[in-house]
Amino acid sequence: MLRLGRREFGAHEPVIMAIVNRTPDSFYDQGATFRDEPALARVEQAVAEGAAIIDIGGVKAGPGEEVTAEEEARRTVGFVAEVRRRFPDVVISVDTWRSEVGEAVCEAGADLLNDAWGGVDPGLAEVAGRYGVGLVCTHAGGAEPRTRPHRVTYDDVMADILGVTLGLAERAVALGVPRESVLIDPGHDFGKNTRHSLEATRRLGEMVETGWPVLVSLSNKDFVGETLDKPVKERVLGTLATTAVSAWLGAQVYRVHEVAETRQVLDMVASIAGHRAPAVARRGLA
């Protein structure tokens, strides 16, 4: 059982985490939800389309203009509080690696801290433990936040992913994070080249077998773009193909830009796997 905020999710229940970037320079939407009004509209649309988690980020993942912790908090804390007020049952996640920002958003009502940079600030897990909120434990290959990988090598990329994420998960539980609120994430693109991310996808079942819920953040990423030689705006089909494979292998949470399309893919895979009944089943029965 995965428990986040007020919500509980069964073992075979796929969960969509919708991305809402409070940044003026996000790689995909180029700041479309930087202002409050479009960001709140995005939340409303994502929830209507089937997202159970809203992931709010105040700093773009890639290199760019410096964003201080104070500015990151300014972009996220008030918005978290407003989303909490308007959508009391939605799971609110905040994409941050900084413990001081984590503290502030937990005070504002966040249910989950999405640490995409692999515990670079050990205090973030301590914050999650104190507040009893969830934590995403990600493999980033030891990379510093907002840096791109350069000639990264692994003897066995999945062995490294497992070693790091399982260690972070157990530490989180020891610090007070509820075991049922901890997720592990292979960290596609983070500290990895395209071949590493493809292998991590191919071997995702090894993460699922650990028993920890697995989150994947695949949406329009560079490994999809390089694999198909497509620019950012033409990666949706590759993303959805990777989503289907990940769902078949047992990943549970999907951090995405395209909610409605992802919902259809996940529902179809769940029905093929026998975990979901068809919405309509009358063919050949009338």
Side-chain angles (χ1 to χ4, degrees):
M1 179 69 68
L2 173 63
R3 183 177 290 112
L4 299 170
R6 299 183 181 184
R7 302 287 300 273
E8 292 185 352
F9 306 96
H12 297 295
E13 183 178 356
V15 182
I16 294 177
M17 170 189 274
I19 299 166
V20 180
N21 287 317
R22 305 308 317 282
T23 58
D25 53 356
S26 48
F27 90 99
Y28 186 64
D29 61 28
Q30 298 298 302
T33 53
F34 184 47
R35 294 186 300 109
D36 287 350
E37 295 82 1
L40 288 166
R42 161 68 174 163
V43 173
E44 185 172 8
Q45 178 186 13
V47 171
E49 291 177 346
I53 306 172
I54 300 298
D55 190 49
I56 299 163
V59 185
K60 69 176 287 188
E65 185 176 327
E66 181 185 359
V67 179
T68 64
E70 292 75 18
E71 173 61 16
E72 183 185 357
R74 188 191 69 78
R75 295 176 179 182
T76 56
V77 175
F79 188 71
V80 167
E82 184 61 16
V83 173
R84 178 82 295 148
R85 186 183 72 81
R86 295 194 188 194
F87 303 90
D89 294 326
V90 78
V91 178
I92 299 177
S93 169
V94 176
D95 180 354
T96 186
W97 74 88
R98 291 166 164 150
S99 56
E100 59 267 48
V101 175
E103 184 104 30
V105 297
C106 285
E107 284 288 339
D111 304 301
L112 176 65
L113 297 176
N114 181 12
D115 181 8
W117 291 101
V120 67
D121 180 351
L124 189 63
E126 296 171 9
V127 170
R130 284 200 305 276
Y131 283 88
V133 303
L135 183 69
V136 180
C137 300
T138 307
H139 179 272
E144 288 295 313
R146 307 192 68 193
T147 61
R148 299 196 188 280
H150 179 68
R151 299 189 181 279
V152 180
T153 61
Y154 298 97
D155 292 333
D156 182 329
V157 66
M158 183 50 73
D160 205 86
I161 289 169
L162 289 171
V164 169
T165 58
L166 297 184
L168 291 171
E170 292 294 351
R171 176 177 182 266
V173 172
L175 289 170
V177 180
R179 181 172 287 271
E180 63 273 17
S181 303
V182 176
L183 303 101
I184 58 174
D185 177 354
H188 289 80
D189 275 359
F190 282 57
K192 300 169 188 67
N193 61 32
T194 290
R195 288 185 174 85
H196 293 144
S197 291
L198 291 171
E199 182 174 351
T201 307
R202 188 163 57 248
R203 297 174 61 185
L204 204 61
E206 295 176 41
M207 297 188 75
V208 174
E209 288 170 2
T210 67
W212 295 98
V214 175
L215 179 150
V216 287
S217 184
L218 312 167
S219 196
N220 303 296
K221 283 196 166 179
D222 285 346
F223 83 96
V224 175
E226 286 196 353
T227 298
L228 301 177
D229 193 17
K230 294 292 184 183
V232 169
K233 294 298 184 180
E234 297 178 23
R235 298 175 184 176
V236 175
L237 290 177
T239 296
L240 294 176
T242 313
T243 298
V245 170
S246 300
W248 188 257
L249 293 174
Q252 185 165 16
V253 181
Y254 300 80
R255 183 178 181 271
V256 305
H257 297 97
E258 286 81 20
V259 175
E261 295 87 342
T262 302
R263 182 77 270 163
Q264 288 190 46
V265 169
L266 295 177
D267 286 350
M268 193 70 202
V269 173
S271 295
I272 293 169
H275 303 314
R276 172 187 179 273
V280 178
R282 54 176 173 259
R283 178 175 171 81
L285 301 175

